[in-house]
Structure formats: C-alpha cells, structure tokens
Amino acid sequence: MSHPPPEVPLPGKRGFLKNLLGLSAAATIIPIRAEAGTGINQQPPRRPGIPGKRYGMLVDLRKCIGCQSCTVSCSLENLPPVGQFRTTVLQYEVQPDSGSPCAMVMLPRLCNHCDNPPCVPVCPVQATFQREDGIVLVDNQRCVGCGYCVQACPYDARFINHDTQTADKCTFCEHRLEAGLLPACVESCVGGARVIGDLNDPDSAISQRLAEHRADIKVLKPEMKTDPHVYYIGLPDAFVHQIDGQAGVRLAGGH
C-alpha cells in the first residue's frame, strides 16, 4: 500500500521573507556588457570625443563679479529643472585672521571633468563615462537614477534631475564645442573670467594662461587625486580643501 508523500511544512514568516528577498534580488540584477573591460585608471574604456584634444577650463576669480550670467545662460542653453543648476557662482564670506573686515568671495562651481573621475567606476550601468577628450558625460538612456555618481563626486557637481530622474551635471556644453562654439557660461561671462580650451595645444589661450600664472594655479580638493581639469586663479587657501555644498552665502574654512 502506497503512502502519500509527507507534507512539507510551510516556511515561517522569516523564511518567507528570506525567499522573497532572494527572488527580488535575482530579478533586479543589472547585466554589465562586455564593453566594461578595464581602461584608464581601472575605468571602462573612454568613448570617442573630439580627436586629439583634452579640454579644460580656467576660472580667474579676480575677474568674477558674481553676476550669475553664467548660471542664467547655462540654464537657458541646457534647460535643467527650475531650481537646479549645472553651474553657479557661490558667495562666501571670509573673515581674515588679521581682524580686517569680512570679504566676499565669488566662486564659480561646475563639474571638474577630472582625468580620474570617481563618478565613472561607481556607475553600475556605465551611464557615466569619459570621452577621449576628457569630457565626462551621462547617457540618460542608460542612467537608472541610483545616485551613486552623485555621492561619489567630491565637488557636489552632480544632481538627480527632477524631470528625468537621471543624473545631470555640466557637460562643458560639448554640443557647442563640437559646432565650434564656446560653452554658454564662457560666452556670457561679462568679465571674461572663464576660459576653455585644448590643454594638448601649447598655443591655446588656456595653455598660455596656465603657463603664465603657473605659481597661482589651484584646484579644488587636490588630496582626492581626481586630477580635476577646472583650474582657478586667485583661489584663497581656505577654499582649496574645505569647499562643500551648492547653496548661498556661508563662512569659509569655519571662520
């Protein structure tokens, strides 16, 4: 006489949740394509850009008057959501140690298009990538809005676009560069504080100015070893290592 198979006890609440989470994790694995092979600085291979060029930007703080024309022109050109900006000019109040009156410092901020960008290797779907000409971009068709790149950027230069729910940031207006035009922020700067150009060309305006002011050139957070390609002239020491955030007026360096 055959006996019916023994009943399998139903899993308790803990086992049910464990099985459910296991199924969910398996269903949400994001495949990485073969093109993710190791490239420069252990990153995915750089994608094509403008051949032979390496773009960088020089910002002369001695000429910036904080008019925000760069912020406005960038918004008109690239149309980020209201209240979100790819570039802006922050105002900082600095109290000199000598007891002199406080001074206001205008500091333009944007993506630094680093040569070793920490935002690239953390992207699980390779939506953030660097072109051969150094410009770091986001493929909005691939971006899943996880925000890993936003957290990885040490310069607070990225944000999740409220409209697209994908990562957004300054692109050096690569569409304008490819058409032989200047980025909107450079073209609209009334004081001529921003200069963009090819760092591989020793005769370009940016290369000549970097050579001329070599002793005064600084970058933000050099200790992060990202090799940023946005350079500053006239950047106070208080801003080099301690700059954070994207909002209005604040004290610099804890003073």
Side-chain angles (χ1 to χ4, degrees):
M1 180 176 179
S2 61
H3 297 281
E7 294 184 3
V8 179
L10 294 174
K13 182 184 295 185
R14 184 186 300 274
F16 174 77
L17 291 176
K18 182 177 180 181
N19 292 337
L20 182 62
L21 289 174
L23 290 173
S24 299
T28 56
I29 292 176
I30 301 174
I32 301 299
R33 298 182 181 181
E35 65 190 31
T38 301
I40 298 174
N41 298 319
Q42 300 300 311
Q43 300 172 30
R46 298 185 180 187
R47 302 190 196 180
I50 301 178
K53 295 184 180 295
R54 200 330 175 179
Y55 284 102
M57 184 177 290
L58 175 64
V59 182
D60 191 340
L61 300 185
R62 303 170 302 176
K63 298 180 179 181
C64 178
I65 60 174
C67 66
Q68 300 288 355
S69 64
C70 54
T71 305
V72 174
S73 62
C74 175
S75 294
L76 291 173
E77 179 72 28
N78 298 294
L79 300 177
V82 174
Q84 293 187 301
F85 306 98
R86 291 185 174 186
T87 187
T88 188
V89 180
L90 303 189
Q91 300 179 28
Y92 292 85
E93 185 180 50
V94 180
Q95 175 65 59
D97 295 332
S98 60
S100 303
C102 293
M104 296 301 297
V105 174
M106 308 299 175
L107 182 60
R109 299 287 300 278
L110 67 157
C111 172
N112 281 250
H113 295 276
C114 310
D115 210 43
N116 185 23
C119 55
V120 171
V122 301
C123 180
V125 294
Q126 297 181 43
T128 288
F129 63 96
Q130 185 174 36
R131 305 196 323 182
E132 293 176 352
D133 56 15
I135 298 177
V136 179
L137 299 176
V138 179
D139 184 344
N140 295 112
Q141 299 300 313
R142 302 186 70 162
C143 179
V144 295
C146 65
Y148 289 169
C149 62
V150 176
Q151 297 299 319
C153 176
Y155 306 106
D156 298 304
R158 286 173 168 256
F159 58 91
I160 298 298
N161 186 300
H162 291 162
D163 293 340
T164 64
Q165 292 302 304
T166 58
D168 203 336
K169 67 172 200 69
C170 160
T171 65
F172 271 173
C173 281
E174 94 289 352
H175 59 290
R176 292 177 62 90
L177 290 174
E178 291 172 351
L181 303 173
L182 293 173
C185 64
V186 176
E187 187 174 79
S188 65
C189 181
V190 297
R194 297 191 184 211
V195 178
I196 194 169
D198 181 13
L199 297 171
N200 289 339
D201 179 5
D203 295 324
S204 66
I206 187 172
S207 294
Q208 292 180 352
R209 294 200 189 186
L210 287 173
E212 180 183 356
H213 300 282
R214 185 176 303 277
D216 300 320
I217 300 297
K218 296 178 183 177
V219 296
L220 297 176
K221 296 187 176 181
E223 70 278 4
M224 300 301 295
K225 301 186 184 305
T226 63
D227 193 7
H229 278 55
V230 171
Y231 307 94
Y232 292 90
I233 297 177
L235 181 67
D237 290 336
F239 293 89
V240 173
H241 303 286
Q242 304 184 44
I243 201 71
D244 287 303
Q246 292 193 20
V249 177
R250 70 202 65 212
L251 296 176
H255 296 297

